[in-house]
Amino acid sequence: MKGVILLNGEPYKGEIDDTNALVFCADGAYNWAKGRVRIDENLGDFDSAAEIPFPRPAEIFPSEKNETDGEIALEKMLALAEEKGITRIELYGGGGGREDHFLGNLHLLYRACRAGMPCEMITDSALLSVHTGKFSLKNILGKTVSLLPFGGAAHIINNRGLFYPTDDLTLCYGSCRGISNVGVNENAEIDCDRGVLLVAINKEKDVKNHLFEAAEGDSADSAPV
Amino acid sequence: MKGVILLNGEPYKGEIDDTNALVFCADGAYNWAKGRVRIDENLGDFDSAAEIPFPRPAEIFPSEKNETDGEIALEKMLALAEEKGITRIELYGGGGGREDHFLGNLHLLYRACRAGMPCEMITDSALLSVHTGKFSLKNILGKTVSLLPFGGAAHIINNRGLFYPTDDLTLCYGSCRGISNVGVNENAEIDCDRGVLLVAINKEKDVKNHLFEAAEGDSADSAPV
């Protein structure tokens, strides 16, 4: 089954599939999520919630604590993963508005990656995930795909399925190289042998950008930005 | 004087002071900025601009390039800094919507920090900046102040002016520790002796959070999140 964590922040506008899922709601996410998706457990300090949520939280955490509510939810889900058979986690609603919370939520992706748990944040505009080693990206044809180093420089051996080659490319902090690559296949394979990559796939095809129609191998050593 | 760089993305809604400033506009930022602020130079590939901007760009960069338009603007401004007497740079409009561009824009803050140039991104909800060593934050009383490691773990020796102590605190990737500290003085002094800190100061005072009224020294070893 999959895990779903609903995060406070900009309400997620799309559909959330709760079939065969364990759904945790973190604090004020209840304000946008109630009635839209089944919630199995509410977690947090509820200093951002407008009402006591249902189901009633088993524990109200203190508002003065070291973890964010999203972090509490993720840690509990990781702890339950083996018992519940959770093989991947989706985070919803963590973008928008408060940039610091969005940035904190990216650390949840990193935490899950380090635990070997596939995890994706789904905002209204993008899918965000954190990876090491060899990995694949699905359903990217014609979409903007940005690769960013996360936590230090990242080295990419190569990719298959993106317009701009990334052969032996090191993405460093302080540079925007890696922003706005373009998917030219349905799926891409990326091989990153050093460091950690944050990947953002914009949801919409870029209708202004016809590069995805170009044949592979017909590209320059640069990315459109 | 100061440098101002207008970035594509969510339009900045507030006032922009162009007095004694060199103002660069990056590509599609022209769509939201024209008529609202004096623009000294337009830079970029203008694949996002709805019209040829005024003043007319001295050069149209190719859309297939390694740099973002914001990066081109920042590099040019850093190159001109000594000649023009630019001592700090403000970035406007870089948040919202496309998360990958927002994240790329954070690397502009890092790039400026590495060049020794004070630089701040001003979005509608927060002020973001990147720092190393000892630094101060102004006008933070009652505001949420989040400290995040950027590019690797960051070690804070201590702070003065924030509610939660950060003595000998290492902020690591994969943790949200450092999110949602609170300003208890007008200004804060932070001493970070290892790594780089990304600081987000939320613009509004947190009216739900009365911690800033607490006396210094009366705090627990944790942060409200």
Side-chain angles (χ1 to χ4, degrees):
Chain A
M1 73 189 308
K2 70 175 178 180
V4 169
I5 299 177
L6 313 171
L7 296 171
N8 205 353
E10 191 173 54
Y12 178 70
K13 297 192 186 82
E15 292 287 311
I16 300 173
D17 180 8
D18 57 19
T19 316
N20 195 29
L22 178 66
V23 184
F24 284 178
C25 180
D27 192 59
Y30 190 74
N31 297 336
W32 65 261
K34 65 179 172 180
R36 289 188 46 202
V37 56
R38 187 193 72 253
I39 295 171
D40 296 307
E41 185 167 349
N42 282 287
L43 297 107
D45 54 31
F46 300 99
D47 61 355
S48 308
E51 59 191 290
I52 295 293
F54 181 85
R56 206 173 172 85
E59 177 182 2
I60 304 279
F61 290 82
S63 63
E64 296 189 27
K65 61 189 184 313
N66 286 334
E67 300 80 24
T68 61
D69 297 304
E71 200 167 14
I72 287 171
L74 177 66
E75 291 298 339
K76 182 159 187 177
M77 194 159 280
L78 290 175
L80 286 171
E82 194 170 330
E83 176 192 333
K84 300 283 188 184
I86 293 167
T87 54
R88 64 189 175 90
I89 295 175
E90 296 170 352
L91 311 177
Y92 291 93
R98 264 189 68 174
E99 286 94 347
D100 56 344
H101 269 194
F102 168 62
L103 295 169
N105 291 334
L106 298 181
H107 286 272
L108 303 187
L109 295 174
Y110 184 97
R111 171 71 182 95
C113 175
R114 285 296 187 205
M117 174 65 73
C119 185
E120 193 170 47
M121 186 192 303
I122 299 137
T123 74
D124 287 324
S125 55
L127 311 179
L128 297 123
S129 53
V130 161
H131 303 268
T132 56
K134 282 189 185 185
F135 60 95
S136 54
L137 304 173
K138 311 286 184 200
N139 187 27
I140 58 157
L141 183 62
K143 294 177 181 171
T144 301
V145 177
S146 289
L147 311 173
L148 292 121
F150 198 67
H155 180 260
I156 303 174
I157 297 177
N158 55 37
N159 79 72
R160 288 174 52 196
L162 299 180
F163 183 76
Y164 293 105
T166 56
D167 298 353
D168 191 22
L169 176 66
T170 300
L171 299 176
C172 297
Y173 266 64
S175 158
C176 295
R177 187 76 187 266
I179 301 277
S180 295
N181 214 320
V182 179
V184 289
N185 284 354
E186 267 306 306
N187 304 319
E189 305 286 333
I190 297 170
D191 194 350
C192 170
D193 67 337
R194 199 175 69 245
V196 177
L197 284 179
L198 172 64
V199 179
I201 303 171
N202 283 356
K203 282 184 166 181
E204 299 300 319
K205 293 192 180 189
D206 188 348
V207 294
K208 283 173 56 188
N209 195 327
H210 300 295
L211 288 171
F212 59 90
E213 295 169 357
E216 277 186 285
D218 187 22
S219 58
D221 183 26
S222 59
V225 282
Chain B
M1 73 189 309
K2 70 175 178 180
V4 169
I5 299 178
L6 313 171
L7 297 171
N8 205 353
E10 191 173 56
Y12 179 69
K13 297 192 187 83
E15 291 288 313
I16 300 173
D17 180 9
D18 58 19
T19 316
N20 194 28
L22 178 66
V23 183
F24 284 178
C25 179
D27 193 58
Y30 190 74
N31 298 335
W32 67 259
K34 65 178 174 181
R36 290 186 47 201
V37 56
R38 187 192 72 253
I39 295 171
D40 295 307
E41 184 166 350
N42 282 287
L43 297 107
D45 54 31
F46 300 98
D47 61 353
S48 308
E51 60 190 292
I52 295 292
F54 180 85
R56 207 174 173 86
E59 178 182 4
I60 303 280
F61 290 81
S63 63
E64 296 188 26
K65 62 188 185 312
N66 286 335
E67 300 80 24
T68 62
D69 296 305
E71 202 168 12
I72 288 171
L74 177 65
E75 291 298 338
K76 181 158 186 176
M77 194 159 279
L78 290 175
L80 287 171
E82 194 171 330
E83 176 191 331
K84 299 282 188 184
I86 293 168
T87 54
R88 64 189 175 92
I89 295 176
E90 297 170 350
L91 311 177
Y92 291 92
R98 265 189 66 175
E99 286 93 346
D100 56 344
H101 268 194
F102 168 62
L103 295 169
N105 290 334
L106 298 181
H107 286 272
L108 303 187
L109 294 175
Y110 184 97
R111 170 71 181 96
C113 175
R114 284 297 186 204
M117 174 64 74
C119 185
E120 193 169 47
M121 186 192 303
I122 299 137
T123 74
D124 286 324
S125 55
L127 311 179
L128 297 123
S129 53
V130 161
H131 304 267
T132 57
K134 282 190 184 183
F135 60 95
S136 54
L137 305 172
K138 309 286 184 200
N139 187 27
I140 58 158
L141 182 63
K143 295 178 181 170
T144 300
V145 178
S146 289
L147 310 173
L148 292 122
F150 198 66
H155 180 258
I156 303 174
I157 297 177
N158 55 37
N159 79 73
R160 288 174 53 197
L162 299 180
F163 183 75
Y164 293 106
T166 55
D167 297 353
D168 191 21
L169 176 65
T170 300
L171 298 176
C172 297
Y173 267 64
S175 159
C176 295
R177 186 77 187 266
I179 300 277
S180 295
N181 213 319
V182 179
V184 290
N185 284 354
E186 268 306 306
N187 304 319
E189 304 286 334
I190 296 171
D191 194 348
C192 171
D193 67 338
R194 198 175 69 246
V196 177
L197 283 179
L198 172 63
V199 179
I201 303 170
N202 284 356
K203 281 184 167 180
E204 298 301 319
K205 293 193 180 189
D206 187 347
V207 293
K208 284 173 56 188
N209 195 328
H210 300 294
L211 288 171
F212 59 89
E213 295 170 356
E216 277 186 284
D218 187 23
S219 58
D221 183 26
S222 58
V225 281

